[in-house]
Amino acid sequence: GNDGKSGVQVGMRSTAALTLLSAHRASSLALLSDMPTPSFILDMDALQRARAQQTEDSGGSSPSSFTSPTIRCESKSILLVPDDFDEGQVTTSATFDYDYSHPGVVSVAYLHSTVVRGRDGSADEGASYLAEIDLSPSLCNGEAQLVLGLNNHHVGGYYWARSAGGGASMDAPGTLFGSSNDPTNQNGIVRWAKENAWSSNSNDGKRSEWINFVRRGDTVQLVPTDGPETLLNFVRYSSQSNPRIFGISSKGRPLGSEPAVVCAFFGSVIDSL
């Protein structure tokens, strides 16, 4: 089918979209951990704050609230249309901004990935090896930074609270993300930046030492260096039957708890955007 507005095909609902729809109708929540990996996550709360700041900086009035907007990424001619499982939510357009996709500032974009092997698994990746994750470096051109994340249960209460909201994009100091030493392995590898872990870690060590303890099946998040380029890769990676772009929100959730998924996005590249 066609949504009648954007020209984007949004007919058959995917398994992930049906999960969201079923959760909504059952008055329960679809959480980030319910989503497939790897996937591209847009923080709707951070996007709204970023958009409000941009509007304020340009002298305009604050935009109206939105839950799952249609999103334009003008630099890559991408249009993201949400699966409107909650009728009436799709009312506002917003622009995905490259400036908010870098580590070190409040991010609107995360790469959600599952740990394939932790340090307890055998791996011929050298002394600096920390974890193998199912995010292929090709999806982010090999440039992404491990961060505290959106649902990290390995950190203590203090850092768990700090990682709520904007703190989720705080980088894990001294870690690097890249390709495996095995050219046939398409998964990504998280390593210490230096062979000596103590040299890689910072005085703010708990922001990164938790990665020592991740195990198979845990999920982690990274922030892409180039958000729009990575988004384009995920638009190509996704399909109608297997979407990999989702919107999340922590509104109404307990502080520091796992965010709820509010929509699945279907993306297209539109020359006339």
Side-chain angles (χ1 to χ4, degrees), residues 42 44 47-48 50-52 54 63-64 66 68-74 78-80 91-97 265 273:
L42 284 166
M44 298 291 98
L47 181 61
Q48 183 168 340
R51 185 166 176 262
Q54 288 177 312
S64 58
F66 57 75
S68 48
T70 298
I71 296 176
R72 293 177 295 115
C73 177
E74 294 177 310
I78 297 170
L79 184 69
L80 297 180
T91 57
T92 308
S93 291
T95 302
F96 181 81
D97 194 327
F265 284 103
L273 186 64

Side-chain angles (χ1 to χ4, degrees), residues 127-270:
S128 62
Y129 169 82
L130 286 167
E132 177 182 345
I133 61 178
D134 66 359
L135 173 68
S136 170
S138 64
L139 285 169
C140 57
N141 298 333
E143 298 183 355
Q145 174 65 52
L146 181 72
V147 294
L148 273 180
L150 299 157
N151 59 348
N152 190 338
H153 64 277
H154 286 287
V155 294
Y158 170 68
Y159 281 88
W160 181 65
R162 278 185 64 182
S163 69
S169 59
M170 289 193 298
D171 65 314
T175 61
L176 295 175
F177 170 73
S179 300
S180 169
N181 291 337
D182 179 358
T184 66
N185 185 359
Q186 299 303 304
N187 289 330
I189 303 295
V190 179
R191 298 180 172 88
W192 287 121
K194 301 177 182 178
E195 289 292 319
N196 183 339
W198 296 109
S199 298
S200 293
N201 217 331
S202 68
N203 289 332
D204 206 4
K206 288 185 173 58
R207 278 175 51 188
S208 54
E209 68 179 19
W210 56 269
I211 191 65
N212 283 293
F213 307 106
V214 296
R215 299 291 182 265
R216 178 181 175 87
D218 287 341
T219 55
V220 296
Q221 288 83 44
L222 299 86
V223 170
T225 300
D226 188 337
E229 182 67 28
T230 302
L231 177 58
L232 180 61
N233 291 337
F234 270 87
V235 167
R236 293 166 174 162
Y237 179 64
S238 301
S239 66
Q240 288 288 84
S241 61
N242 187 26
R244 293 302 180 107
I245 305 172
F246 302 98
I248 61 166
S249 174
S250 294
K251 289 182 178 177
R253 302 281 294 143
L255 182 62
S257 64
E258 186 171 0
V261 180
V262 295
C263 65
F265 284 103
F266 298 98
S268 293
V269 177
I270 301 177

Side-chain angles (χ1 to χ4, degrees), residues 106-141:
V106 176
S107 180
V108 300
Y110 297 86
L111 306 179
H112 181 49
S113 181
T114 297
V115 174
V116 176
R117 286 184 300 178
R119 295 194 73 185
D120 57 337
S122 60
D124 186 18
E125 298 290 348
S128 62
Y129 169 82
L130 286 167
E132 177 182 345
I133 61 178
D134 66 359
L135 173 68
S136 170
S138 64
L139 285 169
C140 57
N141 298 333

